[in-house]
Amino acid sequence: NGVISPYDYIFKKYSTEIDWDWKLLAAQAWCESRFDTTAVSWAGARGLMQLMPGTARAYGLTQEQMSNPDLNVKAAVANIKKLNKYLEKRIPDINERRKFILAAYNSGIGHVLDAMALAEKYGKNPQIWTGNVSETIRWKSNPEYFNDEVCKYGYFRGKETNMYVEKVEYYYNYFCNNTK
């Protein structure tokens, strides 16, 4: 019936700040918390967009405020905006950049930068996610690669980040095809 969640109005409100379709933010929130504002991950991430405590503090949120859906999405969007600004010169194509932003949101920018460096070193395109950086981020679980001189951030299980980007894209496409 055109509704994805009880928080659609929040996604619509803040998506304009990053020039994203609100359904992409909704897809991200679904993958993060299943729209549960009280969700807490094993790592301590909280709320609708599963903000880590340090990230929440960086955007002025207290632990109690992390479960507030409006404040949680607002801080997540501020983080996405920061990631976009950081990546826009490195990834000029906005559609590609969104995949890198999603990956960095999930893993942290350092692991994405390492994967980009590995892609460049090993003949893959560091500006294309699928089949390039999506592959090299998985390499970071192998000592041969996470100990490579181009890697600054060490070991990482990139498989989870790959699945995250794929899931967000899947649900975004699903929401686009089933929502006005």
Side-chain angles (χ1 to χ4, degrees), residues 30-180:
W30 173 252
C31 291
E32 289 288 351
S33 69
R34 298 294 194 254
F35 303 131
D36 180 357
T37 61
T38 64
V40 180
S41 79
W42 64 269
R46 294 178 175 272
L48 207 53
M49 300 297 284
Q50 287 292 281
L51 295 174
M52 290 298 288
T55 303
R57 276 191 306 277
Y59 295 104
L61 269 65
T62 64
Q63 186 167 331
E64 295 77 36
Q65 292 173 319
M66 290 170 68
S67 294
N68 177 302
D70 189 89
L71 295 175
N72 191 277
V73 173
K74 181 180 181 180
V77 165
N79 190 38
I80 290 167
K81 191 184 294 187
K82 182 179 177 182
L83 291 168
N84 183 62
K85 185 175 174 78
Y86 190 82
L87 289 167
E88 68 185 336
K89 287 191 170 87
R90 291 171 171 85
I91 316 291
D93 180 88
I94 185 60
N95 293 316
E96 280 301 317
R97 190 176 335 125
R98 284 186 184 123
K99 295 173 192 175
F100 283 79
I101 291 167
L102 290 170
Y105 188 94
N106 178 261
S107 70
I109 190 67
H111 294 299
V112 171
L113 293 174
D114 278 357
M116 291 170 70
L118 286 168
E120 188 165 350
K121 180 174 181 175
Y122 291 97
K124 297 191 173 291
N125 189 333
Q127 296 181 340
I128 303 292
W129 179 257
T130 305
N132 291 275
V133 179
S134 69
E135 186 175 331
T136 59
I137 202 164
R138 285 193 310 261
W139 295 357
K140 286 186 45 85
S141 63
N142 180 333
E144 175 184 352
Y145 296 106
F146 70 73
N147 288 322
D148 191 296
E149 64 186 20
V150 301
C151 285
K152 309 287 185 242
Y153 297 92
Y155 172 83
F156 183 69
R157 288 191 333 236
K159 180 180 178 184
E160 292 175 16
T161 295
N162 260 334
M163 291 185 336
Y164 177 79
V165 172
E166 288 174 10
K167 279 180 16 185
V168 173
E169 287 184 319
Y170 171 84
Y171 284 106
Y172 172 59
N173 289 325
Y174 178 83
F175 292 159
C176 284
N177 291 327
N178 295 287
T179 310
K180 294 178 184 174

